[in-house]
Amino acid sequence: MTTPDPIFVDPRLARLYDAFDDDRGDLDLYVGLAERLGARTVLDVGCGTGVLALLLAARGLEVTGVDPAAASLEVARGKPGAEAVRWVEGGADTVGALGLAADLATMTGNVAQVFTGDEDWARALTAIHAALRPGGVLVFETRVPERQAWLGWTREHRSARRVIPGVGEVETWNDLLEVDLPLVTFQGTYRFPPGLLPDGDVVTSVSTLRFRERDEIEESLAAAGFVVEEVLDAPDRPGLEWVFVARRS
């Protein structure tokens, strides 16, 4: 099973996630697709702090949010409307055992790219296939490798400050550590107000993402029993990402 990054499992960092990722216009596509597909039951794989799951539940859909990071789920459970969502701690490879027959499964943000190994990716797709009803749809996004998104993952391009209630002002920035395609590793650094944390003011989180080519993704979906119906452009990052819409055959 893929191990989640510290940003999701460290309670000190999980509570910051929504503040630094506050523009979630990327989720409009998923909400719109759920409506267009007529989905009534949704499986949100790698749901994190539950932003999409709660958006869909507020529209009357039956939603199951699954994530391996307990700290992120704790944040999700503390939000208004959280009681309408079934929250499950576990990896993507476990969702096939949940007894679901979902109309729609989603993987937003970086979720599809955290599966750095081919076997982990294949297990995740197989489990999601089992969690969908016949004819159910999987939707996920992944960055286009040739656009080299990692060139912007530096302190010069990715730094911010936010005032966090109960914490104070927190500064964050990224450093690109290694590019060894198809893998890219970067580090997020978070500087807390002086004296707030007992073990120093700085906490870091290292992440590695897998950049798969389009034909590689399509082959992996076919091997797991999916038929690709559409490959859309992400409206929030035009030309930079593919959004795969694949139906369980």
Side-chain angles (χ1 to χ4, degrees):
M1 183 179 73
T2 300
T3 302
D5 303 329
I7 180 62
F8 305 113
V9 300
D10 187 327
R12 299 170 298 179
L13 298 183
R15 66 185 296 192
L16 307 179
Y17 188 84
D18 289 337
F20 284 103
D21 195 24
D22 51 356
D23 180 7
R24 296 312 308 268
D26 60 305
L27 301 181
D28 293 344
L29 173 67
Y30 293 88
V31 173
L33 281 171
E35 182 176 353
R36 174 161 69 87
L37 295 167
R40 300 305 307 161
T41 56
V42 180
L43 168 65
D44 186 16
V45 179
C47 66
T49 58
V51 179
L52 177 61
L54 290 168
L55 281 173
L56 295 175
R59 286 162 170 76
L61 279 67
E62 181 181 334
V63 184
T64 298
V66 179
D67 200 282
S72 293
L73 289 177
E74 186 66 20
V75 173
R77 291 188 178 105
K79 293 181 176 181
E83 67 282 354
V85 178
R86 177 189 180 191
W87 305 105
V88 178
E89 183 179 341
D93 57 338
T94 68
V95 300
L98 295 178
L100 301 177
D103 300 318
L104 174 65
T106 60
M107 290 190 286
T108 64
N110 292 333
V111 174
Q113 290 187 254
V114 303
F115 302 98
T116 57
D118 290 336
E119 291 184 1
D120 282 345
W121 176 236
R123 281 194 293 267
L125 291 178
T126 298
I128 293 170
H129 184 278
L132 288 167
R133 64 167 176 79
V137 174
L138 166 64
V139 181
F140 64 90
E141 62 191 88
T142 183
R143 290 176 175 83
V144 179
E146 68 179 5
R147 298 307 298 269
Q148 299 181 314
W150 56 83
L151 296 179
W153 297 349
T154 64
R155 186 167 186 172
E156 178 184 3
H157 295 98
R158 294 278 291 271
S159 63
R161 297 174 184 266
R162 296 286 190 277
V163 176
I164 310 298
V167 176
E169 185 177 81
V170 178
E171 179 186 10
T172 184
W173 65 88
N174 279 357
D175 291 298
L176 184 61
L177 300 183
E178 184 178 18
V179 179
D180 184 16
L181 294 179
L183 303 181
V184 176
T185 301
F186 60 99
Q187 176 177 277
T189 300
Y190 299 81
R191 188 187 302 278
F192 287 75
L196 182 69
L197 304 179
D199 53 351
D201 303 332
V202 173
V203 181
T204 60
S205 177
V206 175
S207 303
T208 298
L209 300 181
R210 170 78 176 262
F211 284 74
R212 292 179 171 87
E213 297 292 345
R214 177 168 171 168
D215 58 350
E216 182 183 3
I217 297 168
E218 291 176 342
E219 289 172 6
S220 66
L221 286 167
F226 289 96
V227 175
V228 176
E229 292 199 332
E230 296 180 273
V231 181
L232 306 173
D233 194 20
D236 62 311
R237 293 176 179 150
L240 302 179
E241 293 187 351
W242 296 307
V243 179
F244 284 85
V245 181
R247 190 174 297 275
R248 171 179 164 168
S249 58

